[in-house]
């Protein structure tokens, strides 16, 4: 099982490699939404060389929705990724895979569609696409996740195993709409860490981010997969450690915890801010809609 860590800059490569990162996820300035460290293509080229010198893997995150007007630029971008020998393309939109196939890159694509990869019967479709792997939804239980591993498939499995998990994405700019409704200037909240809450759960605050690609809302608590790792580590190839809204030291400590299996130290320090998500709790149970 590879630990996949999000990289901010070149200076972090040595540290992250030392504490346990096996692969580095690079955010782009063109095709990555809610990016904390958007990188230009030229910077990505430099980082990939540095990562490969350490015999680690370089992944790039393309998690925007692709429209017809984006295809030409995406086509050129993927050709550049082919030239620099990227190790994996983590994508949200199936269009990326179709365009990647023109460059014989579909075999490097990890399909990561958020909440939609919930049933193992979809694997036959993914195999027809010829992709490298699929990220299993974190909105299903451990039992349901284990169902994926009973299927005969060449598809690699991955999980978003740690950190804030996205639960909503819309291309609508909802924060801007709210400011317009309230008659507030758009620079009112510039640079602020925003969160929202709903009437049913007044004690929970959900981080919200708006950028040029739309609006993303995340779960109120960070996810930790420590107690389930023994069941999963022999079945999944990549464990993504999410970095958004997490301080650098906490992020580094989380990577150490998964690599060294020293979970107690991490939980003692940060545990109150984490939960186990839906591993043991079906999503329909959360609001008491189903008895």
């Amino acid at each position: 099982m590879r630990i996949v860590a999000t990289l901010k800059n070149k200076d972090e490569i040595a540290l992250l490699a030392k504490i346990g990162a096996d692969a580095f996820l690079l955010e782009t300035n063109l095709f990555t939404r809610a990016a904390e460290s958007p990188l230009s293509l030229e910077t990505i080229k430099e980082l990939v060389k540095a990562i490969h010198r350490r015999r680690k893997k370089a992944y790039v995150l393309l998690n925007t929705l692709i429209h017809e007007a984006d295809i030409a630029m995406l086509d050129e971008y993927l050709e550049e990724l082919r030239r620099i020998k990227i190790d994996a393309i983590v994508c949200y939109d199936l269009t990326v895979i179709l365009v990647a196939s023109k460059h014989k890159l579909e075999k490097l694509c990890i399909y990561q569609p958020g909440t939609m990869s919930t049933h193992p019967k979809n694997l036959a479709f993914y195999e027809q696409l010829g992709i490298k792997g699929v990220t299993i939804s974190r909105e299903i239980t451990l039992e349901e996740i284990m169902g994926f591993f009973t299927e005969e498939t060449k598809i690699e499995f991955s999980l978003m195993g740690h950190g804030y998990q996205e639960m909503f994405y819309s291309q609508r700019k909802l924060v801007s709409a709210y400011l317009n409704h309230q008659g507030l200037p758009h620079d009112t909240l510039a640079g602020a860490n925003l969160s929202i809450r709903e009437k049913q759960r007044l004690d929970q605050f959900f981080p919200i981010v708006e950028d040029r690609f739309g609006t993303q809302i995340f779960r109120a608590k960070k996810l930790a997969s420590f107690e389930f790792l023994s069941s999963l580590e022999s079945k999944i190839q990549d464990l993504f450690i999410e970095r958004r809204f997490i301080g650098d030291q906490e992020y580094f400590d989380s990577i150490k915890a998964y690599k060294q299996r020293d979970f107690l130290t991490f939980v003692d320090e940060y545990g109150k801010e984490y939960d186990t998500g839906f591993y043991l709790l079906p999503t329909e149970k959360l609001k008491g809609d189903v008895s």
Side-chain angles (χ1 to χ4, degrees), residues 241-271:
I241 311 297
E242 181 57 69
R243 190 165 189 166
R244 291 181 183 90
F245 318 122
I246 294 178
D248 288 345
Q249 189 58 56
E250 181 181 343
Y251 190 67
F252 300 152
D253 288 345
S254 69
I255 294 171
K256 290 179 187 177
Y258 284 99
K259 196 67 176 183
Q260 300 172 7
R261 303 298 191 268
D262 182 13
F263 305 142
L264 292 179
T265 300
F266 185 90
V267 171
D268 286 344
E269 179 72 19
Y270 307 105

Side-chain angles (χ1 to χ4, degrees), residues 9 28 30 49 54 56 65 72 126 143 148 188 212 227 230 232 236 280-281:
N9 53 59
T28 80
L30 295 177
K49 290 179 182 178
R54 290 188 171 272
K56 302 293 184 178
L65 288 171
Y126 300 148
E143 181 181 0
F148 277 79
T188 302
R212 62 193 177 95
E227 63 185 272
S230 60
L232 296 168
I236 63 174
L280 302 176
L281 182 66

Side-chain angles (χ1 to χ4, degrees), residues 6-18 24-26 37-39 42-54 243 252:
T6 301
L7 183 67
K8 282 186 175 180
N9 53 59
K10 188 175 182 179
D11 294 338
E12 287 188 341
I13 295 176
L15 172 61
L16 289 173
K18 181 179 179 180
F24 296 88
L25 186 65
L26 308 176
S37 302
L39 304 168
E42 291 306 311
T43 299
I44 287 174
K45 291 178 181 179
E46 294 177 10
L47 292 175
V48 170
K49 290 179 182 178
I51 291 166
H52 285 167
R53 281 197 293 268
R54 290 188 171 272
R243 190 165 189 166
F252 300 152

Side-chain angles (χ1 to χ4, degrees), residues 163-221:
Y164 282 104
Q165 305 297 299
E166 183 180 88
M167 67 178 195
F168 172 87
Y169 168 51
S170 172
Q171 289 189 290
R172 296 180 178 88
K173 296 187 176 181
L174 302 180
V175 176
S176 296
Y178 171 78
L179 293 173
N180 290 339
H181 179 71
Q182 295 294 328
L184 298 171
H186 281 212
D187 60 359
T188 302
L189 303 176
N193 293 321
L194 305 179
S195 61
I196 63 172
R197 65 179 181 178
E198 58 183 3
K199 292 181 179 179
Q200 297 97 316
R201 294 178 279 189
L202 293 176
D203 61 334
Q204 296 186 44
F205 293 84
F206 302 86
I208 181 171
V209 174
E210 180 185 288
D211 59 17
R212 62 193 177 95
F213 300 111
T215 307
Q216 300 86 44
I217 302 175
F218 298 80
R219 291 190 66 241
K221 282 203 167 186

